[in-house]
Amino acid sequence: MTITRLRCPFGLAVGIGLMLSELCVAQHDKPAPEKPKPAWPKPKITISKETTWATEPLGADGFIDYLEVVNRRHSKEVTIENNAAVLLYQAMGPSPEETRLPDRFFRRLGIEPPPDEGMYFQPSVDLGNAILIASERPWKTTEFPDVAEWLRENESVLLTATEATERSRYFSPLVSTDAKPDGGMIEVLLPGVQMSRDVARALAARAMKNLAEGRQLDAWRDLLAVHRLGRLIGQGPMLIEYLVGLAVESMAIHCELEFLSETKPSAKLLAMYRKQLDRLPARASITDKFDIAERVSFLDTAHRLARGQMTLRSIALNLQGEADENSLVQKLGEDLILQSADWNELLKSANAWYDRIVDAYSQPDYRERLKSLKQLDQDIKELVAKRRSRKGLPALLGSKPAVTQALSDDLISQLLPGFTQVSSAEGRAIQRMRNLEVAFALALWRTEHEAYPDSLDQLAPKYLVRVPTDLFNGDPLRYARTAEGYLLYSVGPNAADDNGRDDQTADDIVVRMPMRTHGQ
């Protein structure tokens, strides 16, 4: 499933698809079409920080408009002039990934909808592995003529995309489809996220081509644009935007290391490049993604279940494309279960979980954070085991507190993401940036000494204020001179020294100089 079709945040997408089958015992009758639902009684939900978290704005039905909550929070101080998304969507057009964005999406950006036909970015779907290779190492037109032609076709829109990366903010409004304009967080459209990644790959490929053909300054400008684009995309409210931003930033760092490997910039140029990296937009806070968009997505989904605007089946269909048509829940009354829950208590429980997540991610020390996140993962696993130990539907047909607790456990265990995996992705990006900083200091040392130092400690304080440590264990980074250059690496998320290997059985985060040669 591509991000084009993903209409929910990462946390919701991870588990909710099987919720219906987990809550019930499957039957074997022939599926029956859904019957019109009777009028749904208004649930008793108190608007407060403990339950709804946000207390405004309210929709016409008197409940929190969570889409508007997120859009308002993330559009503060964003203007047409400083918003990179404005130019990116002008480059991508009204239908990125063949998904037509509603006109109100563009009006929320502050612009008129682009015409259906125009000179828009053409994706790389027909290039196969060629574009992947071309965006990772130097190459020439004779090697990948189709990629070179693709870059020529996209030349004008890449100029617009590059201009977008020079802006300071990124806000892509969250909207649902025209078919369901009052849809919730689970139904938001995010087609531009995946295409932005394709734009980044095009810029990286062009940089590697410029590098191979001797246009070093042009190559560096493209790489800086890729790096800035990754940081900007990460400013978006959704966790998936943050993760795509990390992936784009990692792409940029890899190519910037290739740049150092293939060139010998002067000390003056190295200082200029380093200063430009220092001026990149700050990496967004992953804590904010959980505190706002992920939390709000959960609360919004719970509200819609409570109000009869969603069913467990419709959620499963929206995310997985299928649902258990023969479920006992459907036969004996999902409505009865949802109307029997104490939604105030369920929402308080959900907010308490998200408060724990925010507290864990707020810890400045990565290892302490990981310890807290692993405990959260373990607690979620215990909820899953508890859910599976129940004897199907009867556990949900007890007293009001029992129904509430069972439904709360099910929702929490299904909707919350894998915390350690998300933290690992962020940790890798942070460590790659640390490695890049050291690589620049080593390159500057080489320009002045015509060789690399024997120890990283020699870099401080002239070339680095302080030598960064390994994020994953707090120890010094591994470093050794080699016959042709050096080997520098972090032990990676597994915190085990794999001797500088980063293959399928190891996860060290490695820099080898030189990295590659042209045409290899």
Side-chain angles (χ1 to χ4, degrees):
M1 179 181 294
T2 67
I3 294 176
T4 304
R5 304 303 176 197
L6 184 60
R7 297 179 179 175
C8 66
F10 180 82
L12 287 177
V14 171
I16 196 170
L18 297 179
M19 181 186 300
L20 185 57
S21 58
E22 291 287 358
L23 282 172
C24 65
V25 177
Q27 302 295 299
H28 301 287
D29 296 342
K30 292 183 179 180
E34 285 191 348
K35 297 179 180 179
K37 297 183 65 168
W40 192 278
K42 187 174 182 178
K44 296 179 180 178
I45 295 179
T46 302
I47 296 176
S48 71
K49 291 294 294 183
E50 293 75 24
T51 51
T52 58
W53 185 71
T55 56
E56 61 178 2
L58 300 181
D61 55 6
F63 291 95
I64 302 296
D65 183 345
Y66 281 111
L67 265 177
E68 186 63 18
V69 169
V70 178
N71 281 329
R72 285 188 183 182
R73 285 175 178 260
H74 282 270
S75 62
K76 288 181 179 179
E77 300 180 1
V78 175
T79 65
I80 298 175
E81 291 75 23
N82 70 11
N83 189 2
V86 171
L87 289 179
L88 283 173
Y89 279 99
Q90 288 176 348
M92 293 186 294
S95 303
E97 295 289 299
E98 300 181 355
T99 298
R100 182 64 165 85
L101 288 164
D103 288 352
R104 51 199 162 82
F105 170 87
F106 295 101
R107 295 195 178 101
R108 189 66 185 255
L109 277 177
I111 62 175
E112 287 300 311
D116 290 336
E117 299 296 329
M119 187 69 71
Y120 300 129
F121 181 76
Q122 301 300 311
S124 60
V125 291
D126 297 326
L127 296 175
N129 287 333
I131 182 59
L132 299 179
I133 299 171
S135 64
E136 292 181 349
R137 52 104 168 149
W139 60 282
K140 294 184 178 181
T141 300
T142 53
E143 186 177 3
F144 296 120
D146 290 343
V147 176
E149 178 61 26
W150 175 66
L151 291 176
R152 281 192 293 270
E153 291 173 352
N154 281 300
E155 185 173 359
S156 62
V157 293
L158 288 179
L159 285 174
T160 303
T162 301
E163 184 183 349
T165 68
E166 296 170 0
R167 297 189 168 187
S168 60
R169 299 294 301 275
Y170 175 91
F171 168 64
S172 179
L174 301 183
V175 299
S176 53
T177 65
D178 277 337
K180 193 175 181 181
D182 60 344
M185 291 288 294
I186 200 173
E187 294 157 310
V188 296
L189 296 165
L190 298 172
V193 180
Q194 177 64 19
M195 185 166 278
S196 295
R197 187 172 183 168
D198 209 17
V199 169
R201 196 170 295 282
L203 290 169
R206 191 171 70 178
M208 292 294 96
K209 181 175 182 290
N210 283 331
L211 183 58
E213 296 174 350
R215 294 183 293 275
Q216 296 180 11
L217 289 178
D218 290 338
W220 180 256
R221 278 192 289 268
D222 278 341
L223 293 180
L224 197 64
V226 176
H227 211 142
R228 289 182 61 86
L229 182 58
R231 292 285 180 91
L232 288 166
I233 293 172
Q235 291 181 9
M238 308 300 280
L239 183 57
I240 191 65
E241 292 173 294
Y242 184 78
L243 294 173
V244 169
L246 293 181
V248 170
E249 181 174 5
S250 294
M251 183 194 309
I253 292 171
H254 171 85
C255 291
E256 286 157 354
L257 290 170
E258 285 281 358
F259 182 89
L260 287 180
S261 177
E262 295 291 334
T263 64
K264 288 189 176 181
S266 65
K268 183 177 180 179
L269 280 175
L270 283 170
M272 182 189 75
Y273 297 152
R274 190 68 189 87
K275 185 176 292 186
Q276 289 173 332
L277 289 174
D278 288 339
R279 292 173 178 169
L280 289 169
R283 188 179 295 109
S285 167
I286 192 172
T287 308
D288 287 345
K289 311 305 176 189
F290 284 101
D291 195 20
I292 302 176
E294 288 293 313
R295 181 197 299 266
V296 159
S297 296
F298 187 106
L299 298 177
D300 181 59
T301 300
H303 274 65
R304 289 170 185 273
L305 283 170
R307 291 146 61 187
Q309 296 177 339
M310 284 184 175
T311 65
L312 299 177
R313 177 182 182 277
S314 69
I315 294 171
L317 284 172
N318 189 282
L319 300 181
Q320 293 291 115
E322 60 182 7
D324 186 356
E325 301 284 359
N326 300 315
S327 72
L328 193 59
V329 167
Q330 281 189 301
K331 294 185 178 302
L332 297 184
E334 175 185 316
D335 292 0
L336 175 62
I337 297 169
L338 297 180
Q339 292 181 51
S340 299
D342 185 330
W343 287 96
N344 280 329
E345 290 303 313
L346 188 147
L347 294 172
K348 288 178 183 178
S349 175
N351 276 312
W353 276 97
Y354 277 95
D355 288 343
R356 286 185 61 189
I357 298 169
V358 170
D359 288 344
Y361 273 106
S362 297
Q363 295 184 43
D365 183 83
Y366 179 85
R367 289 162 294 166
E368 288 300 316
R369 175 202 296 184
L370 191 59
K371 181 179 178 180
S372 297
L373 292 174
K374 285 182 177 179
Q375 183 59 57
L376 276 165
D377 271 340
Q378 180 58 40
D379 292 345
I380 294 295
K381 289 178 182 177
E382 291 177 4
L383 283 187
V384 172
K386 179 180 177 182
R387 184 185 74 229
R388 290 175 177 171
S389 69
R390 292 197 296 265
K391 302 301 182 181
L393 188 63
L396 291 174
L397 295 179
S399 64
K400 193 179 190 72
V403 169
T404 302
Q405 187 63 56
L407 187 56
S408 176
D409 289 349
D410 279 312
L411 289 170
I412 291 294
S413 62
Q414 294 284 358
L415 305 189
L416 268 63
F419 309 110
T420 54
Q421 294 94 324
V422 175
S423 183
S424 175
E426 181 192 44
R428 283 179 170 277
I430 292 172
Q431 187 59 58
R432 287 187 178 111
M433 192 65 195
R434 290 186 180 185
N435 287 1
L436 181 66
E437 292 169 355
V438 175
F440 263 91
L442 288 167
L444 188 55
W445 176 285
R446 181 188 62 181
T447 65
E448 297 184 2
H449 298 83
E450 297 184 355
Y452 292 111
D454 295 322
S455 167
L456 294 182
D457 292 336
Q458 295 174 261
L459 298 174
K462 182 178 179 180
Y463 304 94
L464 288 170
V465 175
R466 64 182 63 84
V467 179
T469 56
D470 192 325
L471 177 73
F472 297 100
N473 62 8
D475 293 341
L477 293 170
R478 272 60 169 176
Y479 169 79
R481 287 180 58 175
T482 63
E484 296 182 329
Y486 65 82
L487 172 66
L488 168 74
Y489 67 95
S490 153
V491 296
N494 69 4
D497 188 347
D498 295 312
N499 299 311
R501 292 186 300 112
D502 53 357
D503 52 33
Q504 293 181 348
T505 61
D507 70 349
D508 290 350
I509 301 173
V510 183
V511 177
R512 291 183 182 87
M513 286 292 174
M515 293 182 69
R516 293 185 178 92
T517 59
H518 288 282
Q520 186 174 9

